C-alpha cells in the first residue's frame, strides 16, 4: 500500500493500539508509544497523556520528553492549564497561543514560556460521555494545527481511550462479572417474590412490588433480603404488610 | 502486523459500520452472522452452570436456540461455556457422539442443520457463549472460526465494560436493554408456588416440564400463568389440566 509517511505512521499506531486489545500489555507503555507517535506524525514538539485516578485526580502517565513531563506535573500542582481544562470540560482546547500576562492560566503560561513552548493543545479522552483523561500536545513555535492534525490526534486519543477502558475492564473482569451475576440473581429473587405476593394478596405484580418495598422499609430490611426470605418461604407471603397508599392531599 | 490484529481491526470496523443492535447497541450478533456466513446468531449469558438468558439475537430461530437451552439445561452453548472451548456441530443430523438428546431433535424441527458455539470469556472469567446457526449443514472455515473467537472476545470485554458503569448492586441498563433474562418465568414461579404450596424451585421445574410437553416456549407458558390463563392442577397424577 502506498501511504504517505504520516498516514502510514498513524495507521501503525492504530494497529499497535488495536493489537494491545488482544495481547497482554502494559498500559503505560501503550501511552508512551502514543505520545511518541504524536510527535512523529503531528506538527507538535512534545506530547503527553494524563489519566484520572479512581478518585478523579489527574496523573501524568506518559510524556514524550522530560521537559514535557515536568511541565505537566507543574500544571497539576498549580491546578491550572489546558490539560486540566480539557479534562474538566470534556472539550478540546486547540491552538491556544501562549502570551505573557495570560489571564486564563497565569502560572502555567509563565512556566511553559520559560520552557520554550509557545502554543498548546489538549484533547479530552472520552468514551460514552465520560472523560478519563487528556492528550496534551505542545509546540515550540506559534501557529495552528491543521484540521487534519486535529482529526488525527483525536483519532489517536479515541483509540487510546478504548485501549485503557478495555484494559481496566479485563483487570476488573472477575469483579465485574461477579457484580453482574449478583445483580441478576437479586433481580430474579425479586421477580419470584413479586409473583408470590401478587398471588397471595391478589394484586398485580407492580402492586406486589410496592408491598414488598413498603414492608422492607417498615421492618428495616434490605429489599433483596426480604425478597429472598419470601421466595424461599422463610417469611410467609401472607405476613407481608398490606399497604394502603396515603390519599393525596387536595 | 499480527494476524490477530488484522482480524480485530476488521471486526471493530464491521461493528462500527454494521446495522443492528446487540450488547449496548453494538451489532455483535449481526457481525457474527456475517463473518461466519451463517443464518443467525445469539449471545447467552450464563452463570453457575445455567443459562441466565439472552443478551441479543438476530431472529426468532436464534431466540429459540437460547430459550430451548434455558428450559432444558442442555445444548451447545452450555457445553461451550462449561468447557471453555468451541463446540462445532456442522451436521446436527449426524453427530459423532450422542449430543443433547432433547435439544437436537427440537433444533432440527426448527430447520437448524448446523450450530457453532464459542465461549465468551476474559481469561478464566466465563461470561457466556456466542452461538451461530445455519439452515444448511457444513463446517466453518478456519478463518470464520478465528473471526468468531475474536468477536467473542470483543463481546466479553463489552459486557464487563458496560457493567463497570452500572450503579453498585444493579444491572447495567445498557446490558439489560434488548436482553431477555426470562424475568416472567420467575414471576410465574412465584405465583405457582403460592397456588400449589410448593417451593419456587419446584415451581420452576413444573413450568419447564409444561413448556416441554406442550411444545411451547417457556416464556409463553409463564406469561399465561402470570395472566391466570393457565392453571395447574395440584394433583400430580392428574397433571396440568387447563
Amino acid at each position: 500500500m502506498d501511504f504517505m509517511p504520516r498516514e502510514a505512521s498513524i495507521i501503525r499506531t492504530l494497529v499497535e493500539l488495536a493489537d494491545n486489545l488482544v495481547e497482554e500489555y502494559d498500559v503505560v507503555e501503550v501511552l508512551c508509544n502514543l505520545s511518541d507517535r504524536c510527535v512523529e506524525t503531528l506538527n507538535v514538539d512534545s506530547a503527553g497523556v494524563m489519566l484520572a485516578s479512581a478518585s478523579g485526580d489527574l496523573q501524568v502517565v506518559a510524556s514524550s520528553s522530560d521537559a514535557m513531563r515536568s511541565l505537566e506535573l507543574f500544571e497539576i500542582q498549580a491546578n491550572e492549564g489546558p490539560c486540566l481544562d480539557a479534562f474538566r470540560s470534556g472539550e478540546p482546547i486547540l491552538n491556544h497561543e501562549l502570551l505573557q500576562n495570560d489571564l486564563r492560566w497565569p502560572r502555567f503560561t509563565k512556566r511553559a514560556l520559560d520552557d520554550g513552548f509557545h502554543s498548546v493543545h489538549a484533547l479530552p479522552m472520552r468514551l460514552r460521555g465520560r472523560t478519563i483523561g487528556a492528550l496534551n500536545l505542545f509546540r515550540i513555535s506559534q501557529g495552528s494545527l491543521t484540521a487534519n492534525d486535529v482529526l488525527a490526534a483525536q483519532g489517536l486519543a479515541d483509540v487510546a481511550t478504548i485501549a485503557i477502558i478495555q484494559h481496566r475492564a479485563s483487570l476488573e473482569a472477575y469483579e465485574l462479572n461477579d457484580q453482574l451475576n449478583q445483580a441478576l440473581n437479586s433481580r430474579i429473587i425479586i421477580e419470584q417474590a413479586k409473583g408470590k405476593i401478587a398471588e397471595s394478596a391478589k394484586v398485580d405484580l407492580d402492586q406486589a412490588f410496592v408491598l414488598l418495598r413498603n414492608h422492607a422499609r417498615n421492618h428495616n430490611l434490605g429489599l433483596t433480603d426480604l425478597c429472598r426470605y419470601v421466595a424461599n418461604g422463610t417469611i410467609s407471603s401472607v405476613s407481608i404488610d398490606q399497604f394502603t397508599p396515603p390519599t393525596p392531599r387536595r | 502486523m499480527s494476524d490477530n490484529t488484522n482480524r480485530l481491526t476488521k471486526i471493530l470496523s464491521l461493528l462500527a459500520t454494521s446495522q443492528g443492535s446487540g450488547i449496548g447497541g453494538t451489532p455483535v450478533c449481526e457481525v457474527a452472522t456475517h463473518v461466519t456466513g451463517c443464518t443467525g446468531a445469539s449471545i447467552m449469558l450464563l452463570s453457575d452452570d445455567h443459562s441466565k438468558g439472552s443478551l441479543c439475537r438476530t431472529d426468532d430461530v436464534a431466540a429459540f436456540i437460547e430459550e430451548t437451552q434455558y428450559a432444558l439445561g442442555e445444548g451447545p452453548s452450555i457445553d461451550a461455556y462449561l468447557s471453555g472451548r468451541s463446540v462445532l456441530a456442522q451436521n446436527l443430523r449426524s453427530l459423532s457422539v450422542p449430543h443433547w438428546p432433547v435439544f437436537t431433535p427440537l433444533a432440527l424441527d426448527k430447520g437448524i442443520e448446523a450450530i457453532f458455539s464459542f465461549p465468551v470469556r476474559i481469561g478464566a472469567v466465563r461470561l457466556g457463549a456466542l452461538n451461530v446457526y445455519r439452515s444448511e449443514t457444513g463446517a466453518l472455515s478456519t478463518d470464520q472460526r478465528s473471526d468468531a473467537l475474536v468477536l467473542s472476545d470483543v463481546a466479553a470485554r463489552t459486557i464487563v465494560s458496560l457493567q463497570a458503569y452500572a450503579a453498585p448492586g444493579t444491572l447495567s441498563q445498557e446490558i439489560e436493554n434488548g436482553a431477555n433474562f426470562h424475568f416472567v418465568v420467575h414471576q410465574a414461579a412465584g405465583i405457582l408456588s403460592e397456588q400449589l404450596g410448593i417451593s419456587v424451585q419446584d415451581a420452576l421445574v413444573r413450568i419447564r416440564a409444561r413448556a416441554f410437553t406442550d411444545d411451547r416456549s417457556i416464556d409463553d407458558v409463564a406469561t399465561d400463568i402470570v395472566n391466570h390463563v393457565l392453571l395447574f392442577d395440584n394433583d400430580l397424577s392428574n397433571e396440568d389440566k387447563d
Side-chain angles (χ1 to χ4, degrees), chain A residues 17-38:
Chain A
L17 290 167
D19 203 16
N20 286 322
L21 296 180
V22 285
E23 309 293 341
E24 289 295 313
Y25 67 94
D26 180 336
V27 74
V28 174
E29 196 181 327
V30 171
L31 296 174
C32 287
N33 288 346
L34 173 70
S35 306
D36 291 347
R37 216 47 60 80
C38 284

Side-chain angles (χ1 to χ4, degrees), chain B residues 15-213:
Chain B
L15 286 171
T17 54
S18 300
Q19 297 294 313
S21 63
I23 310 162
T26 315
V28 183
C29 290
E30 286 78 6
V31 172
T33 307
H34 173 72
V35 296
T36 56
C38 281
T39 315
S42 61
I43 293 181
M44 276 170 74
L45 194 71
L46 291 106
S47 72
D48 314 322
D49 304 349
H50 294 295
S51 171
K52 286 287 154 94
S54 151
L55 291 176
C56 54
R57 66 217 70 76
T58 52
D59 57 76
D60 288 347
V61 176
F64 164 86
I65 290 170
E66 185 278 323
E67 278 202 353
T68 307
Q69 296 186 85
Y70 177 85
L72 299 176
E74 72 168 35
S77 320
I78 295 172
D79 285 4
Y81 168 81
L82 291 175
S83 68
R85 313 170 86 123
S86 309
V87 172
L88 308 168
Q90 63 203 53
N91 184 352
L92 268 184
R93 290 181 193 277
S94 66
L95 294 171
S96 51
V97 281
H99 268 79
W100 323 307
V102 190
F103 173 83
T104 303
L106 293 174
L108 287 168
D109 276 354
K110 275 276 174 187
I112 301 161
E113 296 288 331
I115 189 162
F116 311 94
S117 295
F118 303 89
V120 170
R121 57 180 177 161
I122 299 171
V125 182
R126 300 177 300 162
L127 299 135
L130 165 71
N131 298 299
V132 288
Y133 78 91
R134 239 199 316 240
S135 43
E136 299 100 41
T137 58
L140 294 182
S141 69
T142 312
D143 208 40
Q144 290 172 327
R145 291 207 310 265
S146 303
D147 277 352
L149 286 170
V150 170
L151 197 54
S152 303
D153 194 52
V154 171
R157 286 159 193 268
T158 305
I159 295 164
V160 294
S161 300
L162 292 175
Q163 183 59 30
Y165 299 152
T170 67
L171 202 57
S172 156
Q173 200 54 51
E174 285 174 295
I175 291 178
E176 194 175 337
N177 283 345
N180 177 8
F181 295 125
H182 306 288
F183 291 136
V184 69
V185 175
H186 295 282
Q187 293 163 353
I191 289 172
L192 198 59
S193 98
E194 284 292 311
Q195 286 174 350
L196 304 186
I198 59 177
S199 75
V200 169
Q201 297 317 313
D202 286 347
L204 282 168
V205 172
R206 295 280 289 271
I207 296 168
R208 287 197 160 93
R210 181 63 184 244
F212 181 67
T213 52

Side-chain angles (χ1 to χ4, degrees), chain A residues 11 15-16 18-19 21-23 127-128 130 165-167 169-170 172-174 176-177 179-188 191-200 202 205 230-232 237-238, chain B residues 1-2 4-5 8-9 12 24 26 45-48 52 122 124-127 153 157 159-165 169-171 174-176 181 183 186-187 190-191 193-195 198 200 204 226 228:
Chain A
I11 286 167
V15 161
E16 269 178 23
D19 203 16
L21 296 180
V22 285
E23 309 293 341
L127 192 70
R128 291 182 190 281
R130 77 172 46 188
I165 287 188
Q166 295 254 340
H167 179 70
S170 52
E172 296 163 3
Y174 266 112
L176 290 171
N177 189 33
Q179 283 175 18
L180 177 63
N181 286 326
Q182 278 177 21
L184 197 47
N185 286 338
S186 132
R187 275 291 292 280
I188 285 170
E191 298 306 329
Q192 292 173 347
K194 276 164 63 180
K196 286 189 80 107
I197 298 305
E199 189 61 24
S200 66
K202 303 292 173 212
L205 290 161
V230 170
N232 68 21
S237 358
V238 291
Chain B
M1 193 188 295
S2 78
N4 242 0
T5 304
L8 182 63
T9 310
L12 291 177
T26 315
L45 194 71
L46 291 106
S47 72
D48 314 322
K52 286 287 154 94
I122 299 171
V125 182
R126 300 177 300 162
L127 299 135
D153 194 52
R157 286 159 193 268
I159 295 164
V160 294
S161 300
L162 292 175
Q163 183 59 30
Y165 299 152
T170 67
L171 202 57
E174 285 174 295
I175 291 178
E176 194 175 337
F181 295 125
F183 291 136
H186 295 282
Q187 293 163 353
I191 289 172
S193 98
E194 284 292 311
Q195 286 174 350
I198 59 177
V200 169
L204 282 168
V226 168
H228 294 95

